[in-house]
Amino acid sequence: MSGMGDGYVGTAQDAVRIRRLEKQREVERRKIQELKNKSASVGGQTGLLQFGSGTSEILDTAFKKETVGLVTREQYVEKRVNIRNKIEEEEKEKLQKLQQEEEELQLQKRKKRKIKGNSHLSFADDIENGSDEENGENKGHELKRFGKFGKDPTVETSFLPDSEREAEEQAERERLRKQWLREQEQIRNEPLEITYSYWDGAGHRRVIQARKGDTIGEFLRAVQQQLAPEFREIRTTSVENLLYVKEDLIIPHQHSFYELIVNKARGKSGPLFHFDVHEDVRTIADATIEKDESHAGKVVERHWYEKNKHIFPASRWEIYDPTRKWERYTIHGD
């Protein structure tokens, strides 16, 4: 207010109030300038700073125009508050815009780093990028050192999954399984000479040819055909009514000779896997040494067995149980 000298009409109190208002305006201008400087330092972009400076200057000019002449204190305070709010809103919008642009810039940088990181998977690529500045000898040496990476032969890796090794092992297991099945089929087809006795109270010893793979039921059918011409009661009975007793055990029809041989099954009075007749002629009379004797199996009718099962030798006969183990052989009693 340089016009306070010439032409000024007013009291001394008005002059004091005007000087006080001018000091307050100066303080407000400094605050506005500091706010503009802070906004420029945060954003780091000179273009926005110039734009903000121009806008602030317009508001400053408007502030001066609105406060020309005498105004009441309430009017001055209200106008000052309004102008300051406008300036703060302007600076806030600039800061938000700067932050948004900074976030977009950082996002683009992260995407570029990610793409670049996925495209290089070995040291060989890095060496090739700088190979123009190296001679051929150094290039070959570096590629030899870093270009190929393989397994360390000293590290144990057998526990790791290996589809190729597993396929080879599976093929080998399948080959061995098929080979074992062929061998067992050959064993089943091997001939077996069986000595048996048709028992009707007295023994009628016979010999018949069978196969190791035959079941007891198939064996009894062949026995029926062999005995039918000689024994009338055999001709009128069925295979289901015939029993095969070996070493005092009644062998069910579903079991096979192959099963008894492979499992080295044992009965109460001798082994079930020998089907000939032989005695142990060793002279050593030692109870701890098991005798190797095989007795002729008996073929009997079920009707005869039910009628005489309380009389020796039928009183000793039991049904064969594959899970039961006979520790010693006996001839009489249990």
Side-chain angles (χ1 to χ4, degrees), residues 236-255:
T236 58
T237 191
S238 64
V239 175
E240 287 73 17
N241 288 325
L242 295 178
L243 302 179
Y244 178 60
V245 184
K246 174 66 172 167
E247 308 300 345
D248 294 323
L249 295 180
I250 302 174
I251 313 298
H253 289 200
Q254 70 270 18
H255 294 287

Side-chain angles (χ1 to χ4, degrees), residues 234-294:
I234 294 296
R235 292 197 298 268
T236 58
T237 191
S238 64
V239 175
E240 287 73 17
N241 288 325
L242 295 178
L243 302 179
Y244 178 60
V245 184
K246 174 66 172 167
E247 308 300 345
D248 294 323
L249 295 180
I250 302 174
I251 313 298
H253 289 200
Q254 70 270 18
H255 294 287
S256 67
F257 296 111
Y258 170 80
E259 176 185 342
L260 301 175
I261 294 171
V262 170
N263 295 327
K264 294 190 176 296
R266 297 181 178 274
K268 297 176 68 175
S269 57
L272 299 179
F273 50 87
H274 291 320
F275 303 97
D276 58 348
V277 177
H278 64 271
E279 296 181 356
D280 192 339
V281 296
R282 291 178 294 179
T283 59
I284 300 177
D286 189 347
T288 61
I289 300 177
E290 182 182 286
K291 290 185 177 182
D292 183 19
E293 295 183 347
S294 180

Side-chain angles (χ1 to χ4, degrees), residues 97-111:
K97 185 175 180 180
L98 289 174
Q99 292 176 355
Q100 183 177 1
E101 292 178 354
E102 180 66 19
E103 291 175 356
E104 292 177 355
L105 181 61
Q106 294 297 331
L107 180 61
Q108 292 177 359
K109 289 182 179 179
R110 285 196 296 269
K111 289 182 178 180

Side-chain angles (χ1 to χ4, degrees), residues 1-5 8 14-30 60 63-64 67-71 76 80:
M1 299 288 298
S2 60
M4 286 174 52
Y8 174 76
D14 293 334
V16 172
R17 185 170 60 253
I18 291 172
R19 285 194 294 271
R20 185 173 60 251
L21 292 176
E22 285 180 348
K23 291 181 180 180
Q24 291 177 352
R25 291 174 183 173
E26 183 64 25
V27 172
E28 291 296 331
R29 282 196 294 270
R30 285 199 299 270
D60 192 25
F63 175 81
K64 292 179 180 180
T67 56
V68 172
L70 296 177
V71 294
Y76 177 85
R80 185 182 63 181

Side-chain angles (χ1 to χ4, degrees), residues 164-176:
E164 183 177 352
R165 184 182 68 240
E166 291 175 357
E168 292 177 355
E169 293 176 352
Q170 179 64 26
E172 180 64 15
R173 286 195 294 269
E174 183 66 16
R175 186 189 67 80
L176 294 175

Side-chain angles (χ1 to χ4, degrees), residues 151-241:
K151 295 181 179 180
D152 186 348
T154 62
V155 176
E156 177 62 31
T157 60
S158 59
F159 63 92
L160 296 175
D162 189 334
S163 58
E164 183 177 352
R165 184 182 68 240
E166 291 175 357
E168 292 177 355
E169 293 176 352
Q170 179 64 26
E172 180 64 15
R173 286 195 294 269
E174 183 66 16
R175 186 189 67 80
L176 294 175
R177 186 185 69 85
K178 291 181 179 180
Q179 179 180 348
W180 184 84
L181 290 176
R182 287 193 299 268
E183 293 175 353
Q184 300 309 307
E185 186 64 25
Q186 293 176 356
I187 294 175
R188 289 188 180 93
N189 292 326
E190 290 179 358
L192 181 65
E193 185 176 270
I194 302 175
T195 300
Y196 72 95
S197 177
Y198 172 56
W199 191 264
D200 57 357
H204 307 277
R205 184 167 293 186
R206 298 288 187 274
V207 177
I208 191 171
Q209 296 291 328
R211 297 181 307 172
K212 291 182 178 181
D214 290 344
T215 63
I216 301 302
E218 293 171 340
F219 160 72
L220 291 174
R221 184 175 293 107
V223 168
Q224 183 188 30
Q225 295 174 359
Q226 187 183 46
L227 297 177
E230 187 176 353
F231 299 95
R232 183 176 62 184
E233 64 273 17
I234 294 296
R235 292 197 298 268
T236 58
T237 191
S238 64
V239 175
E240 287 73 17
N241 288 325

